[in-house]
Amino acid sequence: MSLSLEQTLTQAVEGIKSWARINSPWAIHYNSGSCNGCDIEILATLTPRYDLERLGVKLQGSPRHADILICTGPVTRQSRERLLRIYEQMPNPKYVVAVGSCGISGGVFQGCYNIIGSIDEILPVDAYIPGCPPRPEAIMDGVIKLLQSLKKGGAS
Ligand code: SF4
């Protein structure tokens, strides 16, 4: 059965949108309870020395424009609602990257009275970047693997 002109155009537009998203994803960064060590490494990743933007990844401020949520730290009781609100405001399809041991497992904050736990206890995580803190090379490696996985049609 052949497609109508409208269906063909819709498919073409969706294909272009998907291609643009994967080749130039916009990311938002959120600290859900980190000690700031991981956040400083993310900033270093954006500096001219490492220059994550040359891979097309652009950090920007609004969740409504973001494709990737880069999250650091364990999730505290105070930050849980904000984290959920940010995720819900992001348009589909959206991806979550957990940066650092605390985001992956709670790390050194495990068992603290104000800690809920790892990021994947709250949100579906697509990529994990371990380390305390992970170096900029590791963060770039994780983001590149996520993008490669998206190009193949899935997440890591
Ligand atoms: S993984 Fe290390 S640097 Fe990152 S938030 Fe936890 S303690 Fe801090």
Side-chain angles (χ1 to χ4, degrees):
M1 190 176 76
S2 63
L3 298 174
S4 69
L5 178 62
E6 187 181 326
Q7 288 172 319
T8 309
L9 284 174
T10 304
Q11 276 189 1
V13 170
E14 287 305 316
I16 291 168
K17 277 167 61 180
S18 173
W19 173 84
R21 183 180 298 115
I22 291 170
N23 285 285
S24 184
W26 286 13
I28 187 167
H29 166 221
Y30 182 67
N31 173 345
S32 62
S34 154
C35 74
N36 277 344
C38 290
D39 309 279
I40 289 168
E41 298 302 323
I42 289 173
L43 290 180
T45 309
L46 295 163
T47 60
R49 181 178 178 123
Y50 296 99
D51 197 10
L52 188 63
E53 278 198 22
R54 74 191 139 100
L55 304 175
V57 180
K58 182 178 181 299
L59 195 72
Q60 53 75 59
S62 170
R64 292 186 172 87
H65 301 153
D67 306 299
I68 300 175
L69 170 59
I70 300 175
C71 192
T72 58
V75 182
T76 64
R77 294 189 196 287
Q78 281 180 318
S79 68
R80 181 181 176 277
E81 289 307 313
R82 286 184 206 123
L83 179 61
L84 280 170
R85 212 178 312 146
I86 287 171
Y87 183 76
E88 282 162 9
Q89 287 176 349
M90 291 169 65
N92 284 314
K94 51 193 168 189
Y95 308 96
V96 179
V97 178
V99 175
S101 307
C102 296
I104 293 171
S105 67
V108 292
F109 298 106
Q110 276 183 39
C112 290
Y113 69 95
N114 57 339
I115 299 296
I116 293 175
S118 58
I119 296 164
D120 62 7
E121 288 180 45
I122 308 297
L123 299 178
V125 174
D126 300 286
Y128 297 87
I129 302 174
C132 180
R135 288 189 50 80
E137 292 92 334
I139 296 172
M140 292 185 71
D141 185 56
V143 172
I144 289 167
K145 282 184 177 148
L146 173 67
L147 296 177
Q148 287 171 342
S149 166
L150 296 180
K151 279 180 188 167
K152 288 182 197 152
S156 56

